[in-house]
């Protein structure tokens, strides 16, 4: 469904749009570029359209031609916009009628360092340290760096790909050849011999879900549940494959089967995970058929596998039912957060659902507070982006947590899950394969309960303050949300003891015995609601519970946030040095590139000593993903924060 023009795209997708495309690429690890062509199969929506306009960013166009034309097309590359890049204008044959089709082929190559969608890693930056590595991140608007396209979620297309590389290569599609479970790299010499990998994506997807990875990768399948037609497994470097398979083998297929019960059968055929190198800037990325995940999930105790629940949920909310543009991004993340936590209740208990919302509440408050003095419009769910405004500037926990709480509030207002779950299924089935706006979602919600509900349902929906939820700013939610606190009580009690303690001798390691990682996280977050601890307490806290050297990144982050809570303390610079050393990989050689970890640490250290944060970042800048670099540089004032309106 196409509404108003996406403010992040210069393409004319309302007039003509891509239905299917074919990629023919080779990966050049020496020059750090991909070379080849893309053929767009386009459908005309407006008769007599004179040109097709694609989004691009720093790609080198070699040749453009249109099927059936005797000579190459005389294309024009527009002036580069600082966010949207350069529009590629290609004239079309005269007289095209609505409903007709046309094929356009573009021969081109990417550039380095211009391609923000790709990160090229030297072998020293990988886990195995034997081969180079390449991976992409196209969300939200970086597919245009990888391929000329209509880079908006309002356009969904199927695709085929032939990728030639000296290293095993993955795409966000179904592998056609060579087989995933066959010999690595089709039995050829990894890093030396070229192999062509063939993929097919038969389900239409938006451009931000196009993904590629190439490195020393191997595959191990999970056991497919009885009666399921889809397959699932994990990809990783050989040195990580055992740990990765163990971490995810018990839960991934169980999560997906539970998701199907809640919504509808899984449509993509394959659900694989790829464990990326540590510079990957997110916890996970829901690329179709191939979820990218951070190696920080490999804790050895499966305590962080619930990130996979979130990414699986995106198969329905995001990949299936897609936001039409950046202003409606919360539909992806808010719904996914809500359903992810509903699955916690189904898979575990109602207490686990409430506990997940409680954990998210701290991140939401921190982000709302962060934007209070910077850009209040980013506190909204539905953000009216200006044309050419970068949606990454608004990336935070707000669409996730505020959005998830909004859906939870609607569920409660309507009377609970018995009333709400039938609507959820209808919502997914109605809009699967479509791109929608917030207005379309709201219209469908009211229409559903008008047809299938009772008068009280509509009264309940009308009682909701829609403007406050969608467009309200401020550091609190429009409604005070209450959660099941059962699993938090022990964490809260321990935090209160620490906040009141005069001496540290009353504590012992057994205080946290039997607490899971999430309960320890909540304990540390709760500590930050009291006055800062004395440095003697912080030192003892870190050593007594082994928080200062835990391999669990979620816990380590929270410990450093407690330690740096008072930026003027006598030991703040000592804690800041330790925190920086951790995120730049000083301990284990592995940078903590996930923005959930590196951005809060750089921000906290910046509050202690600006030069310390800036100097350490500059020293290790090349280890971070281009997307992370842009945002960190705003956080620590190496770049001007964009979009400072209200």
């Amino acid at each position: 469904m196409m509404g108003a023009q996406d403010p992040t795209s210069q393409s004319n997708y309302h007039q003509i749009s891509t239905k299917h495309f074919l990629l023919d690429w080779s990966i050049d690890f020496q020059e750090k570029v991909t070379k080849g062509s893309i053929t767009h199969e386009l459908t005309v929506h407006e008769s007599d359209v004179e040109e097709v306009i694609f989004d691009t960013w720093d790609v080198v166009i070699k040749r453009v031609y249109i099927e059936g034309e005797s000579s190459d097309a005389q294309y024009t590359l527009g002036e580069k916009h600082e966010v949207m890049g350069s529009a590629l204008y290609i004239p079309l044959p005269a007289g095209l009628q609505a409903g007709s089709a046309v094929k356009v082929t573009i021969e081109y190559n990417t550039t380095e360092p211009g391609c923000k969608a790709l990160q090229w890693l030297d072998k020293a930056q990988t886990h195995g340290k034997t081969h180079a590595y390449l991976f992409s991140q196209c969300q939200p608007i970086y597919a245009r760096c990888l391929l000329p396209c209509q880079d908006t979620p309002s356009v969904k297309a199927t695709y085929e790909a032939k990728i030639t590389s000296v290293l095993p290569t993955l795409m966000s599609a179904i592998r056609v050849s060579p087989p995933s479970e066959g010999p690595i790299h089709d039995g050829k010499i990894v890093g030396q011999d070229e192999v062509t990998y063939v993929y097919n994506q038969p389900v239409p997807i938006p451009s931000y879900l196009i993904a590629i990875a190439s490195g020393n990768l191997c595959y191990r399948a999970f056991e497919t549940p009885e009666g399921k037609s889809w397959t699932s497994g994990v990809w990783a470097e050989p040195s990580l494959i055992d740990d990765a398979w163990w971490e995810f083998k018990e839960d991934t297929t169980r999560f997906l089967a539970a998701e199907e019960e809640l919504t509808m059968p899984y449509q993509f055929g394959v659900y694989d995970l790829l464990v990326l190198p540590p510079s990957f800037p997110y916890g996970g990325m829901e690329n179709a058929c191939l979820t990218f995940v951070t190696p920080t999930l490999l804790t050895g105790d499966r305590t962080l596998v619930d990130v996979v629940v979130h990414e699986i949920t995106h198969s329905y909310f995001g990949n299936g039912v897609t936001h039409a543009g950046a202003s409606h991004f919360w539909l992806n993340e808010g719904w996914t957060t809500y359903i992810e936590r509903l699955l916690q209740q189904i898979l575990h208990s109602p207490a686990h659902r409430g506990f997940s919302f409680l954990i998210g509440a701290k991140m939401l408050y921190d982000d709302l507070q962060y934007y209070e003095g910077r850009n209040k419009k980013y506190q909204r769910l539905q953000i009216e982006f200006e044309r050419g405004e970068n949606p990454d500037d608004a990336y935070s926990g707000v669409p996730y947590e505020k959005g998830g709480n909004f859906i939870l509030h609607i569920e409660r207002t309507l009377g609970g899950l018995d009333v709400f779950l039938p609507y959820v299924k209808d919502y997914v089935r109605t809009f699967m394969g479509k791109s929608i706006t917030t207005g379309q979602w709201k219209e469908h919600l009211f229409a559903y309960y008008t047809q299938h509900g009772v008068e009280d349902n509509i009264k309940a929906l009308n009682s909701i303050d829609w403007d406050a939820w969608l467009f309200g700013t401020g550091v609190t939610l429009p409604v005070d949300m209450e959660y099941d606190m059962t699993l938090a009580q022990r964490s809260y009690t321990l935090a209160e003891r620490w906040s009141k303690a005069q001496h540290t001798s009353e504590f012992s390691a057994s205080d946290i015995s039997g607490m899971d990682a999430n309960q320890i996280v909540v304990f540390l977050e709760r500590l930050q609601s009291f006055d800062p601890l004395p440095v003697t307490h912080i030192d003892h806290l870190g050593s007594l519970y082994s928080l200062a050297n835990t391999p669990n990144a979620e816990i380590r982050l929270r410990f450093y946030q407690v330690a740096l809570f008072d930026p003027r303390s006598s030991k703040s610079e000592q804690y800041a040095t330790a925190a920086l050393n951790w995120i730049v990989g000083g301990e284990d050689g592995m940078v903590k590139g996930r923005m959930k970890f590196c951005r809060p640490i750089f921000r906290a250290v910046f509050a202690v000593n600006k030069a310390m944060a800036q100097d350490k970042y500059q020293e290790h800048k090349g280890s971070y993903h281009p997307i992370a670099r842009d945002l960190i540089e705003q956080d620590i004032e190496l770049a001007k924060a964009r979009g400072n309106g209200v």
Side-chain angles (χ1 to χ4, degrees):
M1 294 182 180
M2 298 183 188
Q5 175 74 22
D6 185 334
T8 66
S9 174
Q10 300 183 78
S11 64
N12 62 336
Y13 59 92
H14 287 291
Q15 296 178 304
I16 182 170
S17 66
T18 302
K19 181 180 181 180
H20 181 78
F21 60 91
L22 299 90
L23 299 172
D24 191 344
W25 289 343
S26 62
I27 300 174
D28 188 330
F29 280 95
Q30 298 299 315
E31 294 187 25
K32 296 184 177 180
V33 297
T34 62
K35 304 174 181 178
S37 66
I38 179 170
T39 297
H40 287 275
E41 298 180 5
L42 298 139
T43 299
V44 175
H45 305 301
E46 184 180 294
S47 294
D48 298 315
V49 59
E50 296 180 350
E51 62 185 356
V52 59
I53 308 171
F54 294 112
D55 295 303
T56 77
W57 180 281
D58 284 2
V59 297
V60 178
I61 308 296
K62 300 293 184 69
R63 182 186 175 210
V64 177
Y65 52 96
I66 299 171
E67 186 178 66
E69 297 295 293
S70 58
S71 59
D72 291 355
Q74 299 301 305
Y75 64 87
T76 303
L77 205 56
E79 184 178 344
K80 185 178 179 181
H81 184 276
E82 64 175 353
V83 171
M84 295 189 290
S86 305
L88 174 62
Y89 301 88
I90 301 173
L92 295 170
L96 290 174
Q97 297 301 299
S100 63
V102 61
K103 281 188 182 181
V104 176
T105 298
I106 305 164
E107 295 180 1
Y108 74 102
N109 58 260
T110 61
T111 57
E112 174 64 16
C115 185
K116 286 189 178 183
L118 298 177
Q119 186 171 23
W120 301 85
L121 302 178
D122 297 329
K123 62 184 180 181
Q125 295 174 281
T126 67
H127 190 272
K129 304 187 186 306
T130 56
H131 296 281
Y133 203 112
L134 161 70
F135 69 88
S136 65
Q137 174 59 37
C138 288
Q139 192 180 38
I141 57 168
Y142 304 115
R144 66 195 69 186
C145 309
L146 186 59
L147 65 161
C149 63
Q150 296 172 317
D151 198 4
T152 167
S154 285
V155 174
K156 290 184 167 184
T158 55
Y159 80 88
E160 299 167 68
K162 293 182 179 180
I163 315 295
T164 301
S165 176
V166 296
L167 293 171
T169 300
L170 309 179
M171 293 288 292
S172 54
I174 296 171
R175 174 81 72 88
V176 176
S177 67
S180 298
E181 295 192 72
I184 295 175
H185 204 47
D186 205 24
K188 305 295 194 303
I189 299 175
V190 173
Q192 179 177 313
D193 295 336
E194 287 190 337
V195 172
T196 297
Y197 290 84
V198 181
Y199 283 91
N200 178 44
Q201 179 52 268
V203 179
I205 62 171
S207 55
Y208 74 82
L209 293 178
I210 300 165
I212 187 169
S214 189
N216 187 21
L217 298 169
C218 59
Y219 177 77
R220 190 170 299 175
F222 302 140
E223 185 176 345
T224 303
E226 186 176 350
K228 301 298 182 183
S229 58
W230 42 260
T231 63
S232 184
V234 64
W235 295 87
E237 294 181 64
S239 56
L240 275 180
I241 192 66
D242 289 342
D243 291 344
W245 182 77
W246 184 90
E247 200 80 29
F248 300 119
K249 73 182 181 74
E250 293 293 325
D251 298 304
T252 302
T253 56
R254 184 168 65 95
F255 291 161
L256 183 50
E259 190 86 44
E260 288 187 307
E261 289 295 316
L262 203 58
T263 52
M264 62 180 287
Y266 180 67
Q267 63 171 342
F268 288 97
V270 171
Y271 186 82
D272 286 345
L273 303 170
L274 168 63
V275 180
L276 282 169
S279 61
F280 180 53
Y282 300 103
M285 177 61 210
E286 65 274 13
N287 300 309
C289 299
L290 184 70
T291 287
F292 286 6
V293 295
T294 170
T296 59
L297 302 185
L298 304 183
T299 57
D301 58 9
R302 298 183 177 134
T303 53
L304 300 182
V305 296
D306 285 349
V307 168
V308 175
V309 181
H310 185 91
E311 305 311 329
I312 286 175
T313 302
H314 271 308
S315 301
Y316 300 88
F317 303 91
N319 301 10
V321 183
T322 306
H323 67 300
S327 297
H328 311 285
F329 179 64
W330 82 271
L331 285 174
N332 281 24
E333 298 300 349
W335 266 105
T336 295
T337 299
Y338 168 82
I339 295 293
E340 166 202 345
R341 290 174 183 166
L342 178 55
L343 281 167
Q344 295 293 333
Q345 175 170 322
I346 293 169
L347 294 167
H348 303 296
S349 73
H352 284 81
R353 186 190 191 197
F355 196 50
S356 294
F357 272 105
L358 183 66
I359 292 171
K362 174 64 167 59
M363 178 173 69
L364 173 60
Y365 174 78
D366 286 349
D367 285 340
L368 290 173
Q369 196 70 47
Y370 177 74
Y371 287 126
E372 182 69 10
R374 288 173 174 253
N375 192 336
K376 293 188 70 169
K377 85 171 184 180
Y378 292 162
Q379 296 171 330
R380 299 170 182 160
L381 277 185
Q382 187 175 330
I383 301 168
E384 295 305 317
F385 287 97
E386 301 294 329
R387 178 164 172 78
E389 186 176 354
N390 192 343
D392 248 351
D393 290 347
Y395 180 75
S396 74
V398 174
Y400 298 76
E401 299 298 336
K402 193 173 185 178
N405 275 280
F406 184 27
I407 304 298
L408 177 64
H409 177 60
I410 294 171
E411 172 212 305
R412 289 174 172 178
T413 302
L414 283 166
L417 288 171
D418 288 345
V419 179
F420 195 58
L421 281 184
Y423 158 72
V424 173
K425 283 197 172 188
D426 190 77
Y427 170 63
V428 174
R429 292 176 185 275
T430 298
F431 293 116
M432 181 60 67
K434 299 180 175 67
S435 301
I436 66 169
T437 65
T438 301
Q440 289 170 309
W441 159 72
K442 182 182 175 185
E443 182 181 342
H444 173 261
L445 175 68
F446 273 81
Y448 176 85
Y449 283 104
T450 298
Q451 181 176 353
H452 301 287
V454 296
E455 185 177 347
D456 285 348
N457 296 146
I458 301 301
K459 287 181 179 178
L461 290 175
N462 282 323
S463 74
I464 294 170
D465 190 339
W466 294 88
D467 282 348
W469 277 102
L470 293 172
F471 305 110
T473 60
V475 297
T476 59
L477 292 173
V479 173
D480 289 331
M481 302 296 290
E482 296 183 357
Y483 313 118
D484 187 324
M485 300 290 287
T486 305
L487 293 176
Q489 290 306 325
R490 189 175 170 191
S491 304
Y492 275 31
T493 300
L494 183 59
E496 189 168 358
R497 281 181 59 204
W498 274 90
S499 74
K500 293 179 177 179
Q502 298 295 315
H503 306 286
T504 59
S505 57
E506 66 180 82
F507 299 102
S508 70
S510 63
D511 295 336
I512 61 170
S513 177
M515 291 175 68
D516 66 23
N518 285 331
Q519 288 174 305
I520 296 172
V521 163
V522 168
F523 156 62
L524 292 169
E525 291 187 338
R526 183 64 172 174
L527 275 178
Q528 296 169 61
S529 69
F530 302 109
D531 291 335
L533 292 178
V535 292
T536 52
H537 286 48
I538 295 173
D539 286 344
H540 193 61
L541 176 73
S543 59
L544 181 66
Y545 301 151
S546 300
L547 305 179
N549 58 7
T550 175
N552 186 307
E554 297 281 356
I555 296 174
R556 183 80 78 95
L557 168 67
R558 272 59 172 218
F559 171 70
Y560 286 134
Q561 288 177 319
V562 169
L564 296 169
F565 191 38
D566 178 7
R568 305 276 76 86
S569 80
S570 61
K571 297 186 73 172
S572 61
E573 291 207 2
Q574 180 180 323
Y575 299 138
T577 300
L580 286 175
N581 188 54
W582 174 60
I583 59 166
V584 301
E587 290 182 10
D588 54 10
M590 291 293 170
V591 66
K592 307 304 177 289
R594 185 179 178 187
M595 291 191 291
K596 181 179 183 180
F597 303 137
C598 62
R599 289 187 68 194
I601 293 296
F602 276 117
R603 286 180 192 171
V605 174
F606 185 74
V608 173
N609 185 320
K610 292 183 178 182
M612 178 187 290
Q614 291 174 338
D615 291 348
K616 183 62 74 170
Y617 168 74
Q618 293 283 28
E619 183 183 348
H620 295 272
K621 176 179 178 178
S623 298
Y624 290 95
H625 192 279
I627 294 172
R629 291 200 294 261
D630 281 353
L631 295 176
I632 293 169
E633 287 169 15
Q634 292 183 48
D635 292 339
I636 61 175
E637 298 182 4
L638 288 172
K640 183 180 178 181
R642 297 185 288 264
N644 287 320
V646 295

